[in-house]
Amino acid sequence: MKHFPLPGTEVTAPNVVLGLMRINDKSDEEIRTLVNTARDAGIDFFDHADIYGGDHLCERRFAEAMHLNANERSEITIQTKAGIVTDGPYFDYSYEHLIESVEGSLKALRTDYIDILLLHRPDALVEPDEVARAFDDLHASGKVRAFGVSNHTPRQIDLLKRSVTRPLVANQLQLSITHSPIIAQGIAANMSGEEQSNVLDGGGILDYCRLNDITVQAWSPFQGGFFDGVFLGNDNYPELNAVVDRLAAKYGVAPEAIATGWITRHPANMQVVLGTTTPQRVSDSAAGSELPLTRAEWYELFRAAGHRVP
């Protein structure tokens, strides 16, 4: 498992992360098996959110199952997210809500600190001064060590940075071979008539993050589109799966490793956030951490997913 210093933090992070949004109905033993499988694969970074499972439930189930002592807690990175109110739903980046959410996460996770807190999705009513005050107070109290965002555009990040003095260290964005507008837009720049050349969300978020030492965390790395189902083994993607299967055979890995390796091969030092609760799939995906895909293979996968390469 490849690890790297996460810019703006004291964390040495793996480039594959285990997301825990679906463990609310799992037994203690199932959760321990899932987490320990990840640890055996070199994954020591775990992604949560206050809304996963509803009202901190997945955070609580993680803590109940793992019973981490102080030493075990220090060996892992816990990241969680705040800002979505499910009773609506609506978004809330107010000082009061962020503080309340973190207090709830600390209690549910049975920990004294959160390594990284992300703003979950953009709040149209965001007041950056309030976010800055919340971040400053949470950091000064030792309750949160680093901060970031999720699903944010370059300009939304710039707006926050007018007030927020703490580094924004991560931006969690949807990315897979088949759902890759943050990459495809750049490749198709200045190609009139090509749909993938359309500038969305202000454009250039991947380059923006690289320029500003913000680590991109790729969620739904196996999704065909926006929650359209997994593309691996899916009859709707015959050309792509033929390439995936051929490369999997070449490298002696499962298809999940090829899908993971397509993201980790990118020089942006991105992290792949797994959402599976199947231990074998965690192991299979982790094998893509340092997969040495060639440039030709990377672009072949990109083309096979239906993207245009001039």
Side-chain angles (χ1 to χ4, degrees):
M1 175 65 58
K2 176 184 175 182
H3 283 70
F4 65 97
L6 194 71
T9 76
E10 297 181 359
V11 173
T12 300
N15 64 354
V16 180
V17 173
L18 181 60
L20 296 167
M21 68 179 294
R22 297 184 176 93
I23 63 169
N24 53 295
D25 60 352
K26 300 299 180 183
S27 69
D28 286 0
E29 184 59 33
E30 287 173 322
I31 294 171
R32 283 193 292 268
T33 298
L34 178 67
V35 172
N36 289 335
T37 298
R39 294 300 307 276
D40 289 343
I43 299 171
D44 54 11
F45 193 119
F46 300 95
D47 179 68
H48 292 271
D50 56 357
I51 66 167
Y52 289 169
D55 193 23
H56 302 279
L57 180 55
C58 286
E59 294 174 326
R60 188 161 60 251
R61 290 295 300 120
F62 174 78
E64 290 170 348
M66 298 309 298
H67 289 289
L68 299 175
N69 61 39
N71 184 59
E72 291 168 332
R73 170 66 183 92
S74 69
E75 292 176 346
I76 66 173
T77 299
I78 292 180
Q79 172 177 278
T80 195
K81 297 181 283 293
I84 298 178
V85 179
T86 55
D87 184 17
Y90 60 93
F91 306 109
D92 188 350
Y93 284 178
S94 67
Y95 175 88
E96 292 77 15
H97 179 75
L98 293 177
I99 297 296
E100 179 183 10
S101 175
V102 168
E103 294 292 352
S105 290
L106 291 170
K107 181 179 179 180
L109 289 163
R110 300 181 184 177
T111 184
D112 295 328
Y113 65 95
I114 291 165
D115 294 286
I116 303 171
L117 174 70
L118 304 184
L119 300 177
H120 205 158
R121 279 191 176 274
D123 176 10
L125 303 181
V126 63
E127 296 183 53
D129 287 348
E130 282 200 63
V131 175
R133 184 160 63 95
F135 282 7
D136 286 345
D137 287 356
L138 289 168
H139 186 266
S141 66
K143 294 177 179 179
V144 179
R145 297 184 172 180
F147 303 88
V149 297
S150 182
N151 306 297
H152 275 57
T153 69
R155 298 292 79 78
Q156 288 168 337
I157 296 173
D158 282 343
L159 178 62
L160 287 171
K161 289 168 68 174
R162 288 189 63 181
S163 301
V164 173
T165 58
R166 304 300 312 168
L168 297 176
V169 304
N171 189 9
Q172 201 167 106
L173 300 164
Q174 186 177 2
L175 175 64
S176 70
I177 302 173
T178 52
H179 185 282
S180 54
I182 66 173
I183 293 175
Q185 288 175 33
I187 292 176
N190 202 34
M191 289 173 58
S192 177
E194 287 295 323
E195 183 179 354
Q196 77 182 54
S197 71
N198 294 338
V199 175
L200 303 174
D201 306 325
I205 184 59
L206 181 56
D207 295 331
Y208 176 92
C209 288
R210 294 179 73 181
L211 287 167
N212 288 276
D213 289 329
I214 300 172
T215 298
V216 169
Q217 299 176 343
W219 59 270
S220 286
F222 308 136
Q223 279 286 324
F226 190 69
F227 298 106
D228 293 337
V230 174
F231 64 81
L232 293 173
N234 189 324
D235 292 340
N236 292 325
Y237 301 91
E239 183 180 353
L240 174 59
N241 279 294
V243 177
V244 168
D245 291 345
R246 173 168 51 78
L247 292 176
K250 172 185 173 180
Y251 287 103
V253 297
E256 287 85 354
I258 300 300
T260 299
W262 186 82
I263 297 172
T264 60
R265 171 63 179 83
H266 195 283
N269 247 5
M270 292 185 276
Q271 292 178 292
V272 177
V273 183
L274 306 177
T276 184
T277 56
T278 304
Q280 185 60 53
R281 202 163 202 184
V282 172
S283 298
D284 290 342
S285 302
S289 168
E290 298 185 88
L291 200 67
L293 291 175
T294 66
R295 286 176 180 268
E297 291 167 345
W298 190 92
Y299 277 106
E300 183 182 13
L301 287 163
F302 186 72
R303 292 195 307 273
H307 302 301
R308 174 76 180 275
V309 178

